[in-house]
Amino acid sequence: MSEQYIQIAIPVPMRQLFTYQVPQALQTPPISVGERVQVPFGARQVIGVVIKVQSTCDIPPQKIKSVANRLHDDFHVNPTMVDFLQLCANYYHHPIGDVFQQALPKLLRDVKKSTLTPPMVWHCYPFIDDTVIAGASPTSQRDVANEDDDKHTEKLTQIIKIQNKAPKQYALLQVLNNREGISWPELRVLGYSKAQLNALVKKELVFEKEQKAHAFQWKTETLNEQNKHALSTEQALIVATITQSLSSFGCHLIDGVTGSGKTEVYLQVMEGVLAQNKQVLVLVPEIGLTPQTLMRFEQRFKVPICLHHSALNDKERLDTWLNAQQGSAAIVIGTRSAIFTPLQKLGLIIIDEEHDGSLKQQDTFRYHARDIAILRASKLNIPIVLGTATPSFESLQNALSGKYKYHKLEKRAGNSKKSPIKLIDMAQQQVEFGLSGSLKHEIKQTLARGEQVLLFLNRRGYAPAINCKECHWIANCMRCDKPYTLHQKQQLLICHHCTDQHRIPPQCPSCGSVRIAPIGQGTEQLEQRIQEIFPEASIVRIDRDSTRKKGELAKLLQEVSDKKHQILVGTQMLAKGHHFPDVTLVGVLTVDGALFSFDFRAAEQMAQLLIQVSGRAGRASKPGQVLLQTQFPEHPLLQDLVHNGYHHFARQALAERKQALLPPFSFQALFRAEANYPSYPNKFLQVLADTHCEGCEFAGPVPAAMEKKAGKFRYHLIIQAKSRKTLHKALWQLLANTPQNPWQGKVRWNLDIDPIDLNW
């Protein structure tokens, strides 16, 4: 056999591939691109992905190590994904090995994990069919007596008892009966518990078995026609336009007001793709949107649906990866990292809430899922749909310039009307626990009508700080120079920047006084105070703290839909995507901080958040209203939003950015550097800033908005150019010179392409 060499991507922070020799004993069967191999790297063994196979090599033989082992399994990265990941690494100037590391499930990167078991799914037993489920009615024991089959009779009697005594178990049985196998992660997201599942197992009604590895096939009964809604003229036009171009690339921006039926458009476009036996990838910005998205899709399509998000364990993520690769999963729903799922026959990508900053990864490999999803769709020559009520300025400009196909939905679905926004001048109000008199009055009126209230405060915890009333000492995190947030329920002070935590001190460490009190208000305190003002109302708080347990978010959202709670208190987890038909009043406690931020994107993000949260009111036939408390009711941004709407505000802001040559009319990259001493990152970035890069402007180095975090001093350097090509040419030049930077060994640094948050 001839000599054989491979270039592989190894998970190390180096922007290069590594060459290894393939021993003759490992050359059969032929090695292929995308295959996983085990190789020595320094003193350890690592898993790498083959990028290129070649018969010659310019490196001296004594410097080339040999492949230790080939992993003979079905978990290869297909060549199309290999090309896509290489493009991502090049665009974001990120170490290619780390990019592949992000794209592979953890179990496929671990040398020690030798046994990879197939996915498991849950089924009803064959004797349980639609007749049995439908016949489970407490009104007719007569049906039981007339049954010939003893097994059928016994189980029908048992199901009747379940329906009467355990409605959640009965609902779970219905879900399992409607699908040919459903995974535990799906059931958990839908709000079911292991206890309910185990109870059905004990009663011998359901069982778990290995999922068959076969490509999804569309059937007549796949579509639930009863759940299909009639489209408005606007919706029908969009569906027809996208459906006619399913065989070619096109980026479609659906700009629809909140409640206009964007999800129904997604579903009917998906129907055409699934009917061709192709797969659909749906990206949502946060886990919080996954339960309701999954529920809507489950109700419409009886197809295998897989999930991909951070709440899954390693085995569950691997199952999704394998189902997608084998073509078993018809639909994959996930957060940003789901964009790397290797779907075998991908026919459509949908990104809901495309404007959301959560789609941008803010550490390690800093990619934007929306942008690389568009890149992936273009390479596969398939359509991609971006949906939002508040388009990002980048997407809006691309749509206005004709680069994207622009679709508008200007009418709410059904009889619902857009809820008006009213500004409450806090200087003219009596305030109790952060609530103005006007807001309290409207809450009381809304509760009296039997409707629900949503109170939005984007600050979790009990209070953002505590201080001493005698000497004015404030409990600051010494590692971040920022106040600790008080979490009263846990009796802890927690730094939301570095996660450092301490017990609440019994007295002031500075003067010894016991007069320590909270400053400001968080959702935990708001929940408590609201209960004091409205003791007869049931209140639920939905934020990251209250939804840490698996399945808790789905459970709380279902309770809200069932009207078990009258007042909802929450952060931005409640601001977008959710449909609460009985919420008619939204109270926004404050957004004033964003009105005077140094970040040029702050106004855009604040406007998007305000419009999104206001869209939770009046989504059904009942009219809604939005009350916004502010100290600055005459601020031009608020006045423009309230009186002219988001799109007028956006176009005005785009005109200002064009004059100032800010994105999307220019392109930026951000170098971040940190060290134990402030002079080190400053000097490291100054060397970069002193480099001549034709066509580029430098801003900095300057201290970050939060200069100290987790004990490190942080500095920023922004590079801006009028063209993307000019910017990337300069970045290659700067990265090539970095090894010669005398301060490189004394700092940790990273590069962020197209940054969206300068506070990070």
Side-chain angles (χ1 to χ4, degrees), residues 462-529:
Y462 189 86
I466 65 169
N467 83 329
C468 173
K469 295 302 181 184
E470 298 285 352
C471 69
H472 307 298
W473 164 86
I474 294 179
N476 280 331
C477 173
M478 301 304 294
R479 304 176 70 225
C480 298
D481 283 345
K482 290 288 182 180
Y484 283 106
T485 299
L486 171 62
H487 289 254
Q488 188 78 29
K489 189 174 182 180
Q490 299 169 266
Q491 285 292 292
L492 287 175
L493 296 174
I494 302 176
C495 176
H496 286 182
H497 304 287
C498 71
T499 69
D500 185 37
Q501 44 185 268
H502 294 280
R503 288 289 174 189
I504 302 171
Q507 60 189 65
C508 174
S510 178
C511 71
S513 171
V514 295
R515 293 183 61 204
I516 297 177
I519 306 174
Q521 187 178 43
T523 51
E524 189 182 334
Q525 183 182 167
L526 179 61
E527 177 190 23
Q528 176 185 315
R529 300 305 189 192

Side-chain angles (χ1 to χ4, degrees), residues 628-644:
L628 169 59
Q629 297 185 160
T630 177
Q631 300 284 350
F632 309 98
E634 300 303 321
H635 194 286
L637 190 156
L638 292 178
Q639 288 291 322
D640 194 11
L641 270 179
V642 170
H643 297 295
N644 302 318

Side-chain angles (χ1 to χ4, degrees), residues 241-259:
T241 303
I242 301 174
T243 304
Q244 289 169 6
S245 58
L246 291 180
S247 58
S248 61
F249 169 70
C251 186
H252 300 265
L253 175 64
I254 301 179
D255 180 356
V257 298
T258 52

Side-chain angles (χ1 to χ4, degrees), residues 214-455:
H214 59 76
F216 151 75
Q217 290 292 319
W218 178 267
K219 300 175 185 176
T220 308
E221 63 271 19
T222 297
L223 179 67
N224 182 2
E225 290 280 1
Q226 294 178 344
N227 188 254
K228 194 172 178 178
H229 298 288
L231 297 176
S232 67
T233 304
E234 288 180 329
Q235 290 173 314
L237 184 60
I238 296 172
V239 171
T241 303
I242 301 174
T243 304
Q244 289 169 6
S245 58
L246 291 180
S247 58
S248 61
F249 169 70
C251 186
H252 300 265
L253 175 64
I254 301 179
D255 180 356
V257 298
T258 52
S260 59
K262 293 185 288 295
T263 304
E264 185 62 32
V265 172
Y266 302 159
L267 289 166
Q268 299 210 20
V269 172
M270 288 167 64
E271 182 183 330
V273 176
L274 295 172
Q276 298 176 5
N277 295 317
K278 293 183 178 179
Q279 297 166 293
V280 179
L281 174 62
V282 182
L283 298 186
V284 293
E286 295 179 358
I287 298 173
L289 295 177
T290 306
Q292 76 163 24
T293 305
L294 175 62
M295 201 171 297
R296 290 287 300 271
F297 291 2
E298 290 272 11
Q299 290 169 352
R300 182 65 58 88
F301 302 115
K302 295 182 180 181
V303 299
I305 301 176
C306 288
L307 303 177
H308 185 287
H309 53 73
S310 60
L312 301 180
N313 62 39
D314 294 338
K315 179 60 172 62
E316 291 166 347
R317 293 193 199 191
L318 177 62
D319 289 347
T320 294
W321 196 93
L322 184 59
N323 280 322
Q325 186 201 50
Q326 293 174 338
S328 302
I331 302 169
V332 173
I333 304 171
T335 47
R336 58 177 177 258
S337 57
I339 187 56
F340 301 119
T341 309
L343 292 102
Q344 185 188 77
K345 297 175 67 178
L346 184 57
L348 174 69
I349 300 175
I350 295 173
I351 302 183
D352 197 25
E353 309 295 352
E354 67 82 25
H355 68 277
D356 198 286
S358 300
L359 291 167
K360 171 80 171 179
Q361 175 79 11
Q362 295 288 10
D363 55 15
T364 60
F365 176 32
R366 292 170 169 78
Y367 63 91
H368 199 302
R370 178 197 62 213
D371 296 344
I372 61 175
I374 295 170
L375 173 65
R376 186 174 181 185
S378 69
K379 293 301 176 184
L380 293 174
N381 201 31
I382 61 171
I384 179 169
V385 176
L386 313 179
T388 180
T390 52
S392 64
F393 285 7
E394 286 78 10
S395 295
L396 182 59
Q397 178 58 28
N398 282 329
L400 294 174
S401 66
K403 189 175 180 181
Y404 295 173
K405 295 173 183 176
Y406 195 20
H407 311 279
K408 296 194 75 173
L409 288 172
E410 298 183 304
K411 296 180 181 178
R412 278 192 161 193
N415 298 320
S416 64
K417 302 294 182 184
K418 184 179 178 181
S419 302
I421 301 176
K422 179 183 176 183
L423 299 177
I424 297 177
D425 185 355
M426 295 295 280
Q428 305 297 322
Q429 296 272 330
Q430 285 188 331
V431 179
E432 182 183 14
F433 304 140
L435 300 178
S436 63
S438 297
L439 181 55
K440 284 192 294 182
H441 174 75
E442 290 299 333
I443 293 174
K444 185 176 180 180
Q445 294 292 322
T446 304
L447 295 178
R449 294 193 300 269
E451 297 164 357
Q452 292 173 306
V453 177
L454 189 157
L455 296 177

Side-chain angles (χ1 to χ4, degrees), residues 649-758:
F649 156 77
R651 294 190 184 223
Q652 290 288 105
L654 278 172
E656 293 173 2
R657 288 204 192 174
K658 188 174 184 179
Q659 289 181 332
L661 284 178
L662 289 171
F665 302 99
S666 64
F667 302 90
Q668 290 183 341
L670 172 61
F671 276 98
R672 297 183 177 94
E674 62 179 26
N676 292 328
Y677 303 98
S679 61
Y680 291 172
N682 185 25
K683 291 175 180 176
F684 169 78
L685 294 177
Q686 189 60 56
V687 173
L688 298 181
D690 290 339
T691 307
H692 175 69
C693 296
E694 188 173 349
C696 292
E697 296 179 313
F698 291 84
V702 295
M706 192 173 80
E707 183 177 358
K708 190 179 180 184
K709 180 180 178 181
K712 304 289 185 183
F713 292 90
R714 312 184 309 154
Y715 275 68
H716 288 175
L717 174 65
I718 297 176
I719 307 169
Q720 181 171 298
K722 291 182 181 179
S723 78
R724 187 176 274 118
K725 184 177 179 181
T726 301
L727 176 65
H728 284 265
K729 183 179 178 181
L731 293 175
W732 283 118
Q733 178 186 347
L734 292 170
L735 291 171
N737 294 339
T738 300
Q740 287 77 47
N741 191 317
W743 300 97
Q744 196 224 197
K746 297 182 179 181
V747 302
R748 288 178 57 188
W749 63 275
N750 61 70
L751 174 60
D752 188 355
I753 308 296
D754 304 326
I756 65 168
D757 189 350
L758 301 181

